[in-house]
Amino acid sequence: MTPEELLAYDAKHVWHPYSSMSNPQTMLAVESAEGVYLKLTDGTRLIDGMSSWWSALHGYNHPKLNQALIDQSMKMSHVMFGGLTHEPAVTLAKKLIDLTSDNLQHVFFADSGSVGVEVSIKMALQFWQAQGKTQKTKLLTVRNGYYGDTFGAMAVCDPVNGMHGMFSNVLAEHIFAEAPATTNTEWKAELIDDFKHQICKHHKDIAAVIIEPMVQNAGGIRFYHPDYLQQVRILCDQYDVLLILDEIATGFGRTGTLFAYEQANIQADILVVGKALTGGYMTLSAVLTSKKVVEGIEADGQGVLMHGPTFMANPLACSVANASIDLLIESNWQENIQAIENQLKEELAPCRQLKCVKEVRTKGAIGVVELHESIDTVWSQPLFSERGVWLRPFGKLVYLMPPFIIKKDELSILTKAIFKVLEKVR
Ligand SMILES: *Cc1c(COP(=O)(O)O)cnc(C)c1O
């Protein structure tokens, strides 16, 4: 296929995320990728500002990650996880247990972030069911959240931004508190009032709280107070409700700490990680949990967690995850992320002068320019490409989450492109 034939066939036959088949968007065809660069079939090289949706921490085509896959594929690419185990999975479990809070001692491997969220919800439901508290079937969450696209996850996504309208008659009904106030407002105790009210009123029906720690990601890239998260933990303990933290987007350094919950100095009962887990190489998620949750699930003496995907703990995915975690831990990740944060702060600041810009905010290796109106990506995409960058704004947000290995001058090209393109917005 020539590049033109490829794009024509794609437009006619291949679905892309959240897209129309009959009215396809323009696609760029990527031929290869290396470091922070995407190379298109027409030879153009673009600096990637997206890390392929929070995931490609070390950039693309990394020799150590490639080697981990090659080595593992020579041994075995996959074996079923029922009745069998293997070194890549056990090593990864140990790494995750060692890196996360002390209470988390058990790991369930799932296929994707969304499936990890499904498993975490199932754990919470089984926990109460096995202890005879069968009325505890609801989840409490906050507005503006995003937890994935499967049905269990969709049911806790923001009821307005999310897909509730489309699937309202089939989604489970859960309880929503107001979205946590962003760090623009100074913290005061009243900011938890609505959450407190909801948990107090409904706790007899609530199995778990699910929340993205410190940053609400796809639901608006909103940064909120550690105090809020601390209070959530306290209230969960007070009202006997489990706490599920979704670190799928924030995990592995993105917000400046290895995991975002560390900034609130709390522990989850159930923690879900995904996205950057394999350094952006392939799909894998992990659900970590405490002994308390395991004992709860097993309280009825039957004691089995009812989940087991075909490709559970895929050895290729686990091997590349092990290599990616090693690379991250051995690097000066804290310094790198701090440097990225400082540079984003400084270089995105000029965007504040632009009429179309409502707010500029940064946290760790995340930079956000929020506009007053949604940006037309059909209009903006060629402008970004001309400037040699890959950015994909979403709604009113033009955002950057570069690979941690990005160099100073490469990041400047990205921040400058944002300013130059937004200058043209009318
Ligand atoms: C992306 C994301 C998910 C879903 O992960 P998938 O791998 O796309 O299924 C869940 N929660 C959060 C916070 C995410 O950012």
Side-chain angles (χ1 to χ4, degrees):
M1 267 195 245
T2 66
E4 293 72 33
E5 286 167 347
L6 180 153
L7 286 169
Y9 197 90
D10 179 90
K12 232 174 160 172
H13 299 283
V14 185
W15 247 306
H16 286 266
Y18 314 105
S19 70
S20 158
M21 195 74 262
S22 51
N23 184 21
Q25 303 168 345
T26 312
M27 291 292 148
L28 304 180
V30 182
E31 186 224 58
S32 60
E34 175 136 18
V36 297
Y37 290 91
L38 305 178
K39 188 174 168 212
L40 308 186
T41 47
D42 67 3
T44 313
R45 275 163 34 110
L46 301 179
I47 298 177
D48 176 29
M50 308 298 299
S51 296
S52 286
W53 280 337
W54 289 268
S55 66
L57 299 185
H58 312 291
Y60 302 95
N61 212 348
H62 194 289
K64 287 204 174 146
L65 301 186
N66 292 355
Q67 198 58 50
L69 275 180
I70 294 166
D71 293 347
Q72 184 56 43
S73 67
M74 302 301 221
K75 293 183 194 151
M76 62 183 169
S77 292
H78 188 66
V79 290
M80 63 188 279
F81 211 51
L84 301 174
T85 192
H86 46 78
E87 183 276 331
V90 178
T91 300
L92 181 55
K94 180 164 190 326
K95 283 187 200 295
L96 292 172
I97 287 168
D98 290 348
L99 290 176
T100 53
S101 58
D102 292 344
N103 67 319
L104 300 175
Q105 291 294 324
H106 308 275
V107 183
F108 188 99
F109 291 110
D111 325 45
S112 69
S114 302
V115 176
V117 167
E118 298 290 328
V119 170
S120 73
I121 294 171
K122 215 180 243 191
M123 284 175 173
L125 297 178
Q126 279 196 241
F127 177 86
W128 294 112
Q129 198 165 15
Q131 297 179 74
K133 300 208 171 161
T134 49
Q135 77 282 21
K136 276 170 103 64
T137 58
K138 301 266 183 222
L139 297 165
L140 168 60
T141 187
V142 288
R143 288 178 185 269
N144 278 88
Y146 176 80
Y147 304 95
D149 290 348
T150 52
F151 280 86
M154 268 199 297
V156 279
C157 289
D158 185 88
V160 181
N161 299 340
M163 290 168 271
H164 284 249
M166 213 174 274
F167 301 107
S168 57
N169 40 3
V170 282
L171 290 182
E173 272 183 48
H174 295 302
I175 301 157
F176 292 86
E178 282 167 15
T182 63
T183 42
N184 286 346
T185 343
E186 214 169 295
W187 173 255
K188 45 183 187 301
E190 298 99 273
L191 292 178
I192 192 81
D193 279 357
D194 188 56
F195 183 92
K196 195 185 271 178
H197 171 71
Q198 300 296 343
I199 199 169
C200 171
K201 187 168 156 202
H202 298 290
H203 66 93
K204 288 204 175 74
D205 301 320
I206 299 174
V209 165
I210 181 164
I211 192 166
E212 296 154 278
M214 303 304 296
V215 181
Q216 294 193 288
N217 300 284
I221 323 194
R222 301 171 79 255
F223 308 141
Y224 67 88
H225 295 275
D227 312 68
Y228 189 93
L229 205 52
Q230 270 164 10
Q231 291 304 312
V232 166
R233 177 70 270 183
I234 291 169
L235 290 164
C236 284
D237 288 337
Q238 192 178 331
Y239 287 103
D240 214 10
V241 163
L242 295 173
L243 177 57
I244 303 171
L245 293 183
D246 177 348
E247 285 262 6
I248 293 166
T250 47
F252 304 101
R254 182 58 64 183
T255 67
T257 48
L258 201 53
F259 296 98
Y261 69 77
E262 294 168 23
Q263 294 166 42
N265 205 14
I266 60 157
Q267 298 187 338
D269 296 304
I270 302 172
L271 178 76
V272 194
V273 296
K275 286 201 164 101
L277 174 61
T278 60
Y281 265 57
M282 56 177 70
T283 180
L284 180 70
S285 68
V287 188
L288 282 93
T289 191
S290 64
K291 191 150 201 271
K292 168 185 154 181
V293 172
V294 169
E295 285 171 354
I297 291 170
E298 302 184 355
D300 62 358
Q302 295 176 342
V304 294
L305 178 66
M306 290 307 288
H307 211 88
T310 306
F311 288 99
M312 185 164 177
N314 174 259
L316 291 172
C318 291
S319 296
V320 77
N322 285 324
S324 175
I325 291 172
D326 288 349
L327 265 183
L328 181 68
I329 300 304
E330 289 160 11
S331 72
N332 292 322
W333 60 273
Q334 277 142 313
E335 282 168 41
N336 295 346
I337 293 162
Q338 187 62 57
I340 292 172
E341 177 166 9
N342 295 347
Q343 197 183 343
L344 287 173
K345 234 181 217 133
E346 189 186 318
E347 294 183 2
L348 290 178
C351 292
R352 293 202 174 93
Q353 308 154 11
L354 300 171
K355 256 207 199 104
C356 64
V357 172
K358 184 177 170 209
E359 188 187 291
V360 174
R361 53 185 184 269
T362 53
K363 184 177 180 66
I366 310 172
V368 185
V369 180
E370 184 168 342
L371 311 182
H372 292 291
E373 308 283 340
S374 288
I375 189 165
D376 178 2
T377 51
V378 176
W379 171 80
S380 65
Q381 196 201 281
L383 298 177
F384 284 126
S385 302
E386 274 166 31
R387 299 200 149 264
V389 302
W390 169 241
L391 287 166
R392 188 157 172 83
F394 135 79
K396 296 175 181 173
L397 305 176
V398 182
Y399 65 101
L400 263 175
M401 37 186 61
F404 299 163
I405 56 149
I406 196 161
K407 296 201 183 76
K408 193 158 193 270
D409 55 331
E410 293 163 338
L411 186 53
S412 292
I413 294 172
L414 283 164
T415 54
K416 191 152 192 191
I418 291 181
F419 182 84
K420 287 290 180 187
V421 170
L422 292 185
E423 222 177 15
K424 296 200 168 101
V425 172
R426 35 190 80 247

